[in-house]
Amino acid sequence: MSHNHLTWAVLLGRWVEFARGALALPAEGQAGKLRDSVADIIMLQAVWFALEHVGELDLAERAVGLDRAEILIEKHSGSLHQRWGQTPLPGAIAELIADAWFRLNQRKSGG
């Protein structure tokens, strides 16, 4: 059990450091967009991780979880696309969005 706790603590620590580092970014330009995107990025990553374990839920809860995951992915990826506007999303953010959608579709199809 402590191994899982340690793993969680390490993962959480990485995201805390990411958020802290983003606060040091300038509020303007591309860096400002990244700074303003931290909450959306963290939420998409959290949804991705939650989808990894959605199979552990009973069928009714799983269906609700998948619906909620879809809503969250739409909301946060939409916010990111709106924030970046005509500027292409940074590769890592675009990849995160694609991974979240892929994982959701995979889980919806029983995978």
Side-chain angles (χ1 to χ4, degrees), residues 31-103:
K33 289 179 184 179
L34 181 59
R35 177 184 173 157
D36 294 342
S37 298
V38 170
D40 295 309
I41 292 167
I42 291 173
M43 182 57 77
L44 285 168
Q45 190 69 59
V47 169
W48 185 88
F49 278 114
L51 286 167
E52 183 71 15
H53 299 283
V54 76
E56 298 169 20
L57 302 173
D58 65 47
L59 288 177
E61 284 296 316
R62 190 177 312 159
V64 170
L66 292 173
D67 287 345
R68 288 183 178 163
E70 185 169 5
I71 290 167
L72 288 169
I73 295 169
E74 285 176 356
K75 175 184 176 184
H76 293 283
S77 64
S79 293
L80 289 164
H81 282 289
Q82 184 176 12
R83 184 171 301 115
W84 290 85
Q86 297 299 320
T87 305
L89 290 171
I93 294 175
E95 185 177 326
L96 175 59
I97 293 169
D99 287 349
W101 282 118
F102 178 79
R103 179 67 46 101

Side-chain angles (χ1 to χ4, degrees), residues 6-23:
L6 176 63
T7 300
W8 175 248
V10 169
L11 289 172
L12 184 59
R14 288 180 185 164
W15 285 112
V16 168
E17 287 303 311
F18 172 75
R20 284 185 185 148
L23 290 176

Side-chain angles (χ1 to χ4, degrees), residues 62 66 104-111:
R62 190 177 312 159
L66 292 173
L104 176 64
N105 291 326
Q106 190 179 40
R107 295 303 182 241
K108 280 184 164 184
S109 67

